[in-house]
Amino acid sequence: MRYAVTGATGFIGTRLVAHLTALGHDVTALVRDPRRPVPGARTETVDLVTGTGLREATADADVVVHLAALTHAADPRALTTVNTGGTRRLVAALAAQPHPPRLVYCSSLAASGPGRLRHENDPPAPVSAYGRSKLGGEQALREADTRLPALTVRPPIVYGPGDRHFLPSLTAAARTGLLPAVGRRGPRRYSLLHVDDLCRALLTAAESGTPGAVYHAGDGTEHLWSDIGAAVAAAVGRRPPRVVHLPVPLALAAARTLGRTGILNPDKVGEARHPSWTTAPGTLPSFTPRITWPDGLRSTLSPAPLDIRSST
């Protein structure tokens, strides 16, 4: 099949392109910077902010997987511009094709909102500008449902080879012996998903998902924050870190002072203050996560070449 992938140079995108090319699919990487080649794919330059090049670059695609997104920004309005507005422009370009391709939109559990074992049909309640911007992208798909076969996959925290944020931040915390948590004391729970399992979920959605559907995808386990930190610490030869609870005002002050555009920013503090971000098992047909957290952690810290058998 002919796939087009936005965000193909990012963490998830590079892994998805590797899966697609290993399976023999024809892949077009939709990129902002043509100087960044994507192994195994041809590149087309597009701009989600203006819509430039989108219709031409997707004219022959059977499936478009939309990964490109901002996860943080100094100005929250930039999240809306890229994540909501960019998705609208992509939807419009695809819907205008004589034979529109299937669109698989990679959203986020942040669009659903916090809570334990969130279901796909629970009313969305995002608590961050990022979550609202991703939910806005989902709304763009719904508005075009009579013109475009499109569906949404919402992953939780994604980790794996190429992860530049989640595990590196945890590893740094483990080495200090302190694991920060925002808000009141008590257990904190998260769903996780290895990037290769996310790629499988996206490909399964492309092949057998129902247009108009929203699918959650997690590894099927509620992970305690303290256990996640302990596993990372053990992997780097350290003792389990002590969980340090930061009052919300202090965390917000630190975010404003130290890193409005990085992982530590007020928007992410707004998410981190909630103690649970977990998803109930999703209903995506024929998808079962294969990679457990211990195995996924080991494979991330000692990455091996992608095995084509893991993609099928």
Side-chain angles (χ1 to χ4, degrees), residues 53-265:
L54 288 173
R55 187 169 180 179
E56 297 81 3
T58 58
D60 296 327
D62 299 309
V63 178
V64 176
V65 182
H66 181 31
L67 301 174
L70 278 182
T71 58
H72 49 264
D75 185 345
R77 290 174 296 184
L79 296 167
T80 302
T81 297
V82 175
N83 298 345
T84 301
T87 303
R88 285 190 187 282
R89 282 178 277 277
L90 177 62
V91 165
L94 299 181
Q97 303 286 7
H99 302 286
R102 174 173 283 227
L103 173 62
V104 179
Y105 173 48
C106 187
S107 183
S108 169
L109 190 60
S112 174
R116 290 192 66 184
L117 300 176
R118 293 281 290 174
H119 290 270
E120 295 149 339
N121 58 357
D122 288 338
V127 295
S128 63
Y130 171 69
R132 290 186 290 272
S133 72
K134 295 298 282 185
L135 185 62
E138 295 181 18
Q139 179 62 30
L141 270 63
R142 287 193 291 271
E143 292 170 357
D145 61 357
T146 61
R147 298 175 289 129
L148 181 68
L151 60 156
T152 296
V153 175
R154 288 179 183 159
I157 295 170
V158 180
Y159 71 98
D163 170 18
R164 295 191 294 269
H165 297 299
F166 176 63
L167 281 180
S169 297
L170 273 177
T171 301
R175 294 187 188 282
T176 70
L178 301 175
L179 184 65
V182 176
R184 293 178 296 179
R185 294 182 179 276
R188 316 184 79 78
R189 298 174 176 88
Y190 297 92
S191 287
L192 303 175
L193 189 65
H194 191 276
V195 65
D196 286 339
D197 273 337
L198 174 56
C199 290
R200 294 187 193 99
L202 295 169
L203 293 178
T204 300
E207 294 166 0
S208 58
T210 301
V214 174
Y215 296 111
H216 285 186
D219 68 2
T221 301
E222 287 191 297
H223 299 272
L224 287 171
W225 184 231
S226 55
D227 290 345
I228 293 172
V232 173
V236 297
R238 299 298 178 99
R239 298 181 64 180
R242 179 167 61 91
V243 178
V244 178
H245 292 267
L246 305 176
V248 172
L250 178 60
L252 284 172
R256 294 188 182 106
T257 302
L258 300 176
R260 288 184 59 86
T261 60
I263 270 294
L264 182 64
N265 63 74

